[in-house]
Amino acid sequence: MGILLRNGLIVTQNPDRDVFHGDVLIENDRIIQVKPQIHADGHQIFDMNGKAVIPGFIQSHVHLCQTLFRNLADDLELLDWLENRIWPFEMAHNSESLRTSAQLGLAELLLGGTTSILDMGNGKFQDEIFSQMKQSGIRGYSGKVLMDTGNQPYKETTREAIDSTEKLIKKWHGPADDRIHYALAPRFVPSCSPELWEGVKSLAGNYELIIHTHSSENRKELQLVKEMTGQSNVEFFVKNEMASPKLCLAHCIWVSEDEVKMMSETGINVLHCPSANLKLGSGIAPVPRFLQNGINVSLGADGAACNNSLDMFTEMRLAALIQKPEAGVTSTSAQMIFDLATLGGARALGLDKITGSLEPGKKADLAVLDLNKVHCIPADNIYSQIVYSARNTDVQHTMVDGKWVVFDRELKNFPYEEIVKNTWEQVQKLFERAK
Ligand code: GUN
Ligand code: FE
């Protein structure tokens, strides 16, 4: 028996960007039909009258391990924030606290309509993140964060970093009906030795993996990269033959014209995180310039420790608004930004053939929004409503792989009350360990 979503406002994100009142037929994990009226018997019917059915959001840069540090690391610039708060906290994780952190983040993401993520994992106990991703029902990638050099407390040799990564790849690249995958996660240029980058490059080639890292976020970071390599970030990736459509760079705020050209020529993906960029005082990424140069741009909340939420509605709204004073009011339209939150994310994750739009043959990854609320009406453009007025609490249901992971605002695979209770307990214990 399949699932028939009947009479919703379907925001397809197909090549014609069709939006119409109609039905979606789902069988197993796939969308079978998307049409104004589907005549089919024997399916479980859900009435979507008055609701918008949209492709699930794809967040291309999150840190599930940092959800437990929410509201505990405010008003610091990147390098101080990392050295004084984030690295000691990440080091202090044990498997219980990391499990709670991942569950807390995944609960928030699914309740807010996010169906796929690219996660930067933790240095230790990475299995917990994968296990919780699998349990939650989300689609996505994670990978153990890699750091073997620089001013940081992770004491891992290059060999250990590479060997433990390879073990995790063998275990986690492709289980759970192909929902969960491995993405290599060297943290950023200042925390990885040239030998570690060589190891990452070789694993990426052998296993055809995404390389997920941070780049060009903060001016002091740029200075460090210049001192260490004599190059800019993008130059470093190009010269070391890592620049490709499988390279995902979070932030890309401080990039030169030459770097933009290289990014465009090599197909590098930008993972744009507007809240984190403002909160850490890092700057504003030149998104209109990227788009004009044909560079793929996607959106992510980054971690709850620098945001302090994982809400795609906030990211979309900010991504649109922050460009307007400099680049002009028409530089970012609601429709363009909704593209970044869906299709841009799917491209960054290499999943554009299977998710990011509501089209026959694609996986049934979607969110159902109830926008008939005082803060969302009136409207004559669904994209304006979603990007400028809607909130994450307007997400009524979320589906991944043809299964409801949230229904009537209730998580299906995680116990909400237990996560809340564990969060308070685990953060207290983590604080003690981090002292
Ligand atoms: N650069 C290196 N590590 C991090 C991180 O955890 N968060 C952000 N925002 N930037 C980084
Ligand atoms: Fe980040």
Side-chain angles (χ1 to χ4, degrees):
M1 187 168 68
I3 289 177
L4 186 57
L5 307 183
R6 184 142 263 174
N7 205 23
L9 180 65
I10 316 295
V11 186
T12 64
Q13 292 296 85
N14 68 12
D16 294 331
R17 300 297 185 275
D18 288 325
V19 177
F20 54 84
H21 285 277
D23 305 344
V24 180
L25 178 62
I26 295 151
E27 280 178 14
N28 302 313
D29 55 340
R30 301 272 170 183
I31 297 171
I32 303 296
Q33 288 184 58
V34 184
K35 288 208 293 210
Q37 213 168 21
I38 297 174
H39 300 284
D41 293 329
H43 299 297
Q44 196 179 8
I45 294 175
F46 293 89
D47 183 14
M48 294 292 149
N49 192 21
K51 310 281 195 296
V53 183
I54 68 171
F57 297 123
I58 298 173
Q59 295 214 29
S60 60
H61 184 65
V62 297
H63 297 250
L64 292 173
C65 69
Q66 294 177 5
T67 329
L68 204 62
F69 322 148
R70 194 199 311 272
N71 304 321
L72 303 178
D74 293 341
D75 306 333
L76 290 161
E77 268 199 43
L78 178 69
L79 298 180
D80 295 332
W81 175 82
L82 287 170
E83 285 166 25
N84 299 325
R85 295 282 201 286
I86 300 311
W87 289 337
F89 285 161
E90 287 186 5
M91 285 291 292
H93 262 312
N94 62 18
S95 58
E96 286 78 26
S97 63
L98 188 57
R99 184 182 316 148
T100 300
S101 190
Q103 289 184 347
L104 185 67
L106 289 161
E108 185 184 4
L109 289 162
L110 293 172
L111 284 165
T114 292
T115 52
S116 295
I117 55 170
L118 174 54
D119 175 65
M120 180 155 292
N122 202 55
K124 296 187 292 183
F125 310 110
Q126 175 61 29
D127 282 302
E128 280 296 345
I129 296 181
F130 280 118
S131 299
Q132 297 314 316
M133 284 173 64
K134 184 172 170 182
Q135 167 70 20
S136 73
I138 206 160
R139 185 183 306 289
Y141 298 75
S142 184
K144 169 189 157 122
V145 76
L146 300 177
M147 304 170 73
D148 72 339
T149 193
N151 186 20
Q152 50 87 12
Y154 280 81
K155 294 291 173 248
E156 195 170 45
T157 65
T158 312
R159 194 71 261 155
E160 284 164 346
I162 291 168
D163 288 349
S164 58
T165 294
E166 189 156 23
K167 271 200 195 117
L168 286 161
I169 294 167
K170 287 184 174 149
K171 186 163 173 195
W172 290 107
H173 194 51
D177 303 327
D178 226 23
R179 240 191 325 105
I180 309 295
H181 299 271
Y182 202 92
L184 294 159
R187 186 158 213 140
F188 64 162
V189 173
S191 68
C192 301
S193 66
E195 296 74 29
L196 184 51
W197 284 111
E198 274 307 309
V200 163
K201 194 168 91 177
S202 145
L203 287 171
N206 292 347
Y207 293 94
E208 296 181 27
L209 298 177
I210 286 173
I211 301 177
H212 174 204
T213 189
H214 297 92
S215 177
S216 317
E217 177 177 8
N218 170 289
R219 279 178 279 195
K220 289 185 189 144
E221 168 226 329
L222 294 197
Q223 219 174 306
L224 273 180
V225 173
K226 195 86 190 169
E227 283 164 20
M228 286 173 73
T229 69
Q231 293 163 327
S232 67
N233 276 285
V234 176
E235 255 179 316
F236 174 83
F237 294 118
V238 171
K239 296 257 165 72
N240 287 287
E241 295 170 351
M242 280 181 276
S244 84
K246 278 185 146 7
L247 181 62
C248 290
L249 299 184
H251 309 303
C252 300
I253 297 168
W254 303 104
V255 284
S256 66
E257 279 305 324
D258 280 352
E259 287 180 281
V260 172
K261 195 158 165 275
M262 288 188 254
M263 290 162 75
S264 170
E265 283 166 2
T266 56
I268 289 174
N269 296 283
V270 172
L271 322 178
H272 178 45
C273 306
S275 293
N277 294 165
L278 295 179
K279 187 153 184 289
L280 294 170
S282 302
I284 295 177
V287 168
R289 194 144 57 90
F290 294 147
L291 295 175
Q292 282 155 18
N293 281 275
I295 295 167
N296 184 48
V297 180
S298 53
L299 296 179
D302 207 338
C306 62
N307 185 306
N308 297 354
S309 85
L310 303 177
D311 170 18
M312 192 59 135
F313 291 92
T314 306
E315 299 316 304
M316 288 191 294
R317 182 176 158 84
L318 269 184
L321 300 190
I322 59 177
Q323 301 299 334
K324 294 182 188 289
E326 271 291 313
V329 285
T330 56
S331 63
T332 46
S333 70
Q335 183 170 1
M336 283 165 67
I337 297 296
F338 189 61
D339 275 5
L340 310 191
T342 53
L343 299 163
R347 270 196 295 275
L349 273 60
L351 297 177
D352 43 326
K353 295 256 183 334
I354 71 159
T355 191
S357 61
L358 303 180
E359 295 179 84
K362 282 205 169 178
K363 296 274 194 179
D365 294 356
L366 55 88
V368 177
L369 311 181
D370 180 0
L371 302 176
N372 199 22
K373 300 195 180 148
V374 287
H375 61 272
C376 288
I377 55 168
D380 69 354
N381 179 323
I382 184 67
Y383 302 110
S384 299
Q385 251 184 323
I386 296 170
V387 171
Y388 293 129
S389 335
R391 302 172 184 165
N392 60 356
T393 46
D394 301 328
V395 175
Q396 192 77 17
H397 319 296
T398 308
M399 177 183 277
V400 183
D401 232 21
K403 296 187 189 71
W404 296 115
V405 288
V406 171
F407 196 84
D408 272 339
R409 300 219 32 77
E410 222 175 84
L411 282 169
K412 302 304 284 179
N413 302 327
F414 276 159
Y416 187 96
E417 297 302 334
E418 206 176 302
I419 294 174
V420 172
K421 178 171 154 283
N422 290 345
T423 295
W424 290 108
E425 273 177 27
Q426 290 300 328
V427 74
Q428 200 59 42
K429 291 182 181 168
L430 180 123
F431 241 70
E432 289 298 317
R433 291 196 297 274
K435 265 184 190 163

